[in-house]
Amino acid sequence: MAKDLAEVLGARQKMNGYYEGNGYQVTWTFGHFCTLKEPHDYTDRWKTWRLEELPMIPPNFGIKLIDNEGVRRQFSVIESLVANCEEVINCGDAGQEGELIQRWVLLKAKCKVPIRRLWISSLTTQAIKEGFQSLRESARYDNLYAAGSARAIGDWLLGMNATRLFTTRYGKGGVVLSIGRVQTPTLAMIVQRHKEIMAFVVEEYWELKTIYRETEFTAIIDRLKSLDKAEKGVVYLVNHPFEVTSFDAKEGREGNPRLFDLTSLQVEANKKYAFSAEDTLKFIQSLYEKKLVTYPRVDTTYLSEDLHPKVEGILQQLTPYAQFTESLLQAPIPKLKTVFDDQKVTDHHAIIPTGVYPVALPTDEKRIYDLIARRFIAVFYPECKVSTTTVLGKVGEIEFKATGKQILDPGWRVLYAHEKKESAEEEKVMPVFEVGETGPHEPRVHHGKTSPPKYYTEATLLRAMETAGKQVDDEEVRELLKDNGIGRPSTRAAVIETLFKRKYIEKKKKNIIATQTGIDLIDTIQSELLKSAELTGQWERKLRLIEKGEYALETFKQELTQMVADLTNEVKTGAFRVISVADPVAAETGKSKPREPRAKKEAVDIQAQQCPKCRQKTLIKGKTAYGCPEYSSCGFKIPFEIFGKKLTESQVADLILKGKTGKLKGWQLPDGNTVESRLVLNAAFGPELSDV
């Protein structure tokens, strides 16, 4: 990234740890260079973990360089440059974490010169140039820095003290019991769900149903608790005709989906591709650094109003999606309030494509890019028009009901026609009924069982963290609750991974399940402050208020200090119990046992692979190509011969699994020339040649 900035600024001379030229020196950090001092840095008494030394409350918090030779070497370069320059331009990531990382480095380097801030949402050359033409005063982001400091200090105070407190009081055999401001309430939600499922008692029930004119109706009565009652009900129904009492068909609209923030992107990627939150963050970060999408660590689904004039240009550049953008570009792009709203955007807007053409992306990154590109196009499409039908009837004195739904005009749904519809959204076309009509019907008994609550998946857990445990489907309400969510979009994935590494939770298929250690730990914690997602959400809200300049950092520190003192006293005087972990090494270090070496790879069976585009069907082999069985809606195929070259099964497998082949000679271009190149799948999953 430093190289990209240096190129734009004309600082093209490579020096030792920086670029120089045109009056600029461009240097860099990598990851976190500084961290808050550890307990033993304040006093020797805190070197050992002893219950009597708790709570640990430093009089003032200090920072230090992390213990890494590469960091120390690069920091000395930064320190020297800062000491001899006229001005510093902070080009760190334009977010709370980026602000904190670079401010700490400049603080450690004893920067005395004026500081200005580069604040950009994408890394395209145009965005960088515009950013340098409108540099901002560093003081404008003092509140952002204060919020980052408050977050770090809060995590230190609670994490360091509570982890030592519970480990020395309840740990067994050197096991570390990790407690965190965000991870513990997250674990508590998972444990609570586990207990609800374990305590659930399955109940059998019977329902009366009947089929009239090839339409199934369900009785509008309480579920029956015995088969005997249900069978008596069927006897009653057989002796009476079905009569239609009401027929109501209403036309309605299904609103467009919102643009992605990081959490909703992680949710969607988990649902569609089973990607973990951490993997999705890794893929989107890579796409950002390749200049293909805008800044990803955001929690808004809106765009600022000044972006409206740029939308048409971005849509024009999304050439892999020309079949969808063509109709949009025939008229002016509407300035929709559901998309553009300055009141809903702070430092960054929703994640959108930059318009830079994607070339030779790895398959997983291509999937993430495809989600973002389709969503960006979909928000400007017409709404989906539907017809919802409700039919009421009766058999004797028992009332029945049936509902149906028909899509009249797919609107934005055309972008997702290749996807398998969820059962709740399946179209159910109803015949036209006349009120008062009667006729024979076929009654029957439906036997069912009540279902327990569902285990969390990463998708539903991310949503629960975002809304502090409240079950919210409405996007407007969810937007309002974001200030009280636990964790930040950029940290939630790491929190979930920490719980896995600590062996507090485990994954079975897509389900996240609490381990016995996780359950024991939550059962031991009596303090609701540590466990409650709602209370932790209130702390998050205070951190956001600090960011807005509406709450004092010192007040937040005092509140947490008091909480830690109260918690320490509570645990020291509480009942004693021991918690052990099945795999102490993994729990303490976060490292799992070494895996068995993998067996040698076998040839890939192409017809056993999922279609990489729709991810719904297994590929089939036709006369001239491999393709998706749902080709009419999905459109994916790879010809056996393309650009004058027959593909081997190995090359086809590479294309499906990796998104590209190795470099090959002999590709024939339309002008008759032959070239050496790779065959890649572009963003629309079509094969094309690329040198990358």
Side-chain angles (χ1 to χ4, degrees):
M1 288 167 71
K3 189 176 181 181
D4 287 341
L5 296 179
E7 182 66 29
V8 172
L9 293 172
R12 298 185 177 95
Q13 188 177 354
K14 181 80 166 70
M15 310 296 283
N16 183 22
Y18 64 100
Y19 293 93
E20 187 171 77
N22 198 27
Y24 290 94
Q25 293 165 320
V26 183
T27 187
W28 55 84
T29 56
F30 37 88
H32 289 259
F33 265 35
C34 295
T35 183
L36 288 175
K37 287 181 177 178
E38 295 174 78
H40 62 260
D41 294 317
Y42 294 102
T43 172
D44 287 344
R45 296 200 330 272
W46 291 349
K47 280 184 177 177
T48 53
W49 290 33
R50 293 202 301 256
L51 197 60
E52 55 269 26
E53 291 293 344
L54 301 175
M56 302 177 293
I57 313 290
N60 291 294
F61 283 87
I63 58 170
K64 66 176 185 177
L65 282 178
I66 65 169
D67 188 17
N68 177 285
E69 180 57 36
V71 166
R72 284 193 291 270
R73 193 163 52 245
Q74 183 64 15
F75 177 75
S76 68
V77 172
I78 296 168
E79 193 174 31
S80 172
L81 294 175
V82 166
N84 295 294
C85 69
E86 297 168 7
E87 178 187 65
V88 166
I89 302 172
N90 177 358
C91 304
D93 262 2
Q96 191 186 101
E97 192 175 15
E99 191 69 19
L100 185 69
I101 289 171
Q102 307 302 51
R103 288 275 194 123
W104 275 358
V105 169
L106 291 170
L107 183 65
K108 190 71 181 167
K110 298 183 174 63
C111 178
K112 297 287 192 291
V113 296
I115 302 171
R116 286 196 290 168
R117 189 65 161 95
L118 175 74
W119 196 268
I120 53 178
S121 288
S122 81
L123 298 175
T124 61
T125 300
Q126 183 186 353
I128 293 169
K129 283 180 178 175
E130 289 175 359
F132 274 104
Q133 285 163 7
S134 55
L135 293 170
R136 304 174 183 185
E137 291 303 315
S138 182
R140 179 172 171 176
Y141 300 99
D142 285 352
N143 289 331
L144 188 68
Y145 171 50
S149 297
R151 181 178 297 278
I153 289 167
D155 288 341
W156 193 103
L157 277 171
L158 193 62
M160 290 289 187
N161 281 289
T163 295
R164 289 192 178 200
L165 184 62
F166 280 83
T167 298
T168 52
R169 182 75 168 136
Y170 304 116
K172 179 184 178 184
V175 166
V176 174
L177 298 176
S178 175
I179 308 287
R181 189 178 55 83
V182 177
Q183 77 173 46
T184 303
T186 303
L187 175 61
M189 288 195 297
I190 298 167
V191 169
Q192 177 63 26
R193 179 62 56 87
H194 176 86
K195 288 183 174 181
E196 288 169 1
I197 293 168
M198 290 299 104
F200 186 82
V201 178
V202 176
E203 292 182 0
E204 291 185 289
Y205 65 87
W206 289 264
E207 288 180 314
L208 296 177
K209 293 181 179 284
T210 192
I211 294 175
Y212 173 68
R213 285 184 55 192
E214 299 182 351
T215 303
E216 185 176 72
F217 289 78
T218 302
I220 313 173
I221 56 174
D222 290 337
R223 287 172 170 175
L224 303 171
K225 301 297 184 185
S226 73
L227 177 59
D228 183 51
K229 279 187 179 179
E231 287 176 338
K232 286 178 181 175
V234 170
V235 171
Y236 173 82
L237 295 175
V238 167
N239 293 314
H240 296 81
F242 188 95
E243 180 186 350
V244 176
T245 57
S246 171
F247 179 76
D248 184 26
K250 287 182 181 175
E251 286 194 16
R253 295 172 183 269
E254 284 187 357
N256 301 47
R258 293 288 180 87
L259 290 170
F260 283 121
D261 60 8
L262 179 58
T263 300
S264 59
L265 179 64
Q266 288 170 319
V267 167
E268 194 75 0
N270 182 256
K271 283 180 180 176
K272 287 188 175 168
Y273 304 121
F275 290 166
S276 70
E278 188 176 48
D279 282 343
T280 299
L281 181 55
K282 181 176 72 180
F283 299 145
I284 185 71
Q285 179 67 23
S286 177
L287 290 170
Y288 170 61
E289 291 172 8
K290 289 171 181 171
K291 310 182 184 185
L292 298 173
V293 301
T294 57
Y295 185 69
R297 290 171 165 82
V298 298
D299 59 359
T300 181
T301 57
Y302 291 86
L303 300 179
S304 54
E305 291 164 31
D306 62 0
L307 276 172
H308 178 255
K310 297 183 179 180
V311 168
E312 184 178 347
I314 297 172
L315 289 169
Q316 285 171 342
Q317 290 168 302
L318 293 177
T319 49
Y321 300 90
Q323 68 187 100
F324 301 117
T325 58
E326 188 178 357
S327 61
L328 288 181
L329 293 168
Q330 289 172 1
I333 302 300
K335 197 171 184 179
L336 305 164
K337 196 65 177 172
T338 52
V339 179
F340 302 95
D341 190 342
D342 284 346
Q343 300 302 311
K344 303 287 179 69
V345 177
T346 50
D347 299 323
H348 290 288
H349 53 71
I351 304 168
I352 61 172
T354 60
V356 173
Y357 188 82
V359 178
L361 291 176
T363 300
D364 290 339
E365 285 184 22
K366 192 184 285 115
R367 286 179 182 139
I368 297 297
Y369 182 84
D370 184 63
L371 288 178
I372 296 165
R374 283 178 189 271
R375 183 65 64 92
F376 179 64
I377 298 166
V379 298
F380 299 110
Y381 255 70
E383 290 181 311
C384 171
K385 293 180 183 177
V386 297
S387 172
T388 305
T389 306
T390 304
V391 186
L392 300 178
K394 66 177 184 177
V395 179
E397 296 301 315
I398 300 177
E399 295 183 329
F400 283 81
K401 180 180 179 180
T403 57
K405 174 182 166 183
Q406 185 178 3
I407 293 176
L408 304 176
D409 181 350
W412 60 267
R413 285 188 174 274
V414 298
L415 282 120
Y416 303 97
H418 62 289
E419 293 181 2
K420 185 180 178 184
K421 290 176 184 169
E422 295 178 17
S423 56
E425 295 182 347
E426 287 287 355
E427 282 194 69
K428 184 180 173 186
V429 182
M430 307 279 281
V432 175
F433 293 93
E434 295 289 336
V435 175
E437 69 173 86
T438 63
H441 59 108
E442 303 167 30
R444 69 180 184 88
V445 173
H446 167 72
H447 178 214
K449 293 179 181 179
T450 55
S451 301
K454 291 183 178 178
Y455 282 106
Y456 283 114
T457 63
E458 284 211 33
T460 56
L461 182 59
L462 284 166
R463 280 294 186 219
M465 293 173 78
E466 185 182 51
T467 57
K470 292 184 174 67
Q471 297 300 310
V472 179
D473 293 322
D474 185 273
E475 291 201 32
E476 286 285 350
V477 177
R478 196 157 59 221
E479 199 75 29
L480 294 171
L481 285 172
K482 281 182 178 179
D483 274 2
N484 285 38
I486 58 174
R488 284 181 76 85
S490 56
T491 60
R492 287 175 190 140
V495 168
I496 295 169
E497 286 304 312
T498 297
L499 292 173
F500 279 122
K501 287 175 182 175
R502 290 287 181 187
K503 304 289 185 183
Y504 297 158
I505 60 174
E506 60 188 6
K507 193 177 283 187
K508 291 185 178 176
K509 295 184 178 177
K510 287 181 75 172
N511 294 333
I512 294 175
I513 298 168
T515 63
Q516 192 58 49
T517 304
I519 295 167
D520 287 349
L521 181 56
I522 293 301
D523 286 348
T524 301
I525 299 170
Q526 300 303 308
S527 170
E528 279 304 307
L529 275 167
L530 278 184
K531 295 192 292 187
S532 166
E534 199 164 335
L535 289 170
T536 306
Q538 290 172 15
W539 299 343
E540 287 288 345
R541 183 171 172 274
K542 288 175 182 176
L543 287 166
R544 289 171 187 265
L545 289 174
I546 293 171
E547 197 171 306
K548 296 171 185 174
E550 297 170 11
Y551 204 78
L553 166 59
E554 283 306 314
T555 306
F556 183 75
K557 280 165 63 176
Q558 287 165 12
E559 289 174 349
L560 268 171
T561 299
Q562 186 59 52
M563 180 197 148
V564 166
D566 293 344
L567 176 68
T568 304
N569 183 56
E570 183 183 299
V571 171
K572 281 182 177 180
T573 57
F576 179 77
R577 66 177 295 175
V578 170
I579 301 173
S580 59
V581 178
D583 184 356
V585 174
E588 285 189 66
T589 65
K591 294 177 182 174
S592 302
K593 291 177 181 175
R595 292 184 179 181
E596 294 294 321
R598 289 183 178 180
K600 192 175 179 181
K601 277 189 176 180
E602 296 180 7
V604 174
D605 180 0
I606 295 167
Q607 294 182 77
Q609 305 306 312
Q610 273 189 321
C611 170
K613 186 173 182 181
C614 69
R615 299 284 292 170
Q616 303 297 335
K617 299 288 184 179
T618 304
L619 294 174
I620 57 173
K621 187 175 184 178
K623 291 181 180 178
T624 60
Y626 288 103
C628 181
E630 300 290 339
Y631 179 76
S632 58
S633 58
C634 169
F636 179 76
K637 72 173 180 180
I638 299 176
F640 299 153
E641 186 172 334
I642 188 169
F643 297 116
K645 194 175 185 69
K646 285 188 177 179
L647 299 179
T648 65
E649 293 215 343
S650 173
Q651 289 160 357
V652 173
D654 281 346
L655 204 54
I656 292 164
L657 299 175
K658 300 176 184 176
K660 62 183 177 182
T661 67
K663 274 204 169 183
L664 301 168
K665 294 180 179 178
W667 300 108
Q668 287 183 9
L669 300 178
D671 60 10
N673 290 323
T674 59
V675 294
E676 180 181 356
S677 185
R678 298 180 194 274
L679 188 66
V680 304
L681 292 181
N682 61 26
F685 290 87
E688 64 179 36
L689 295 176
S690 171
D691 292 329
V692 180

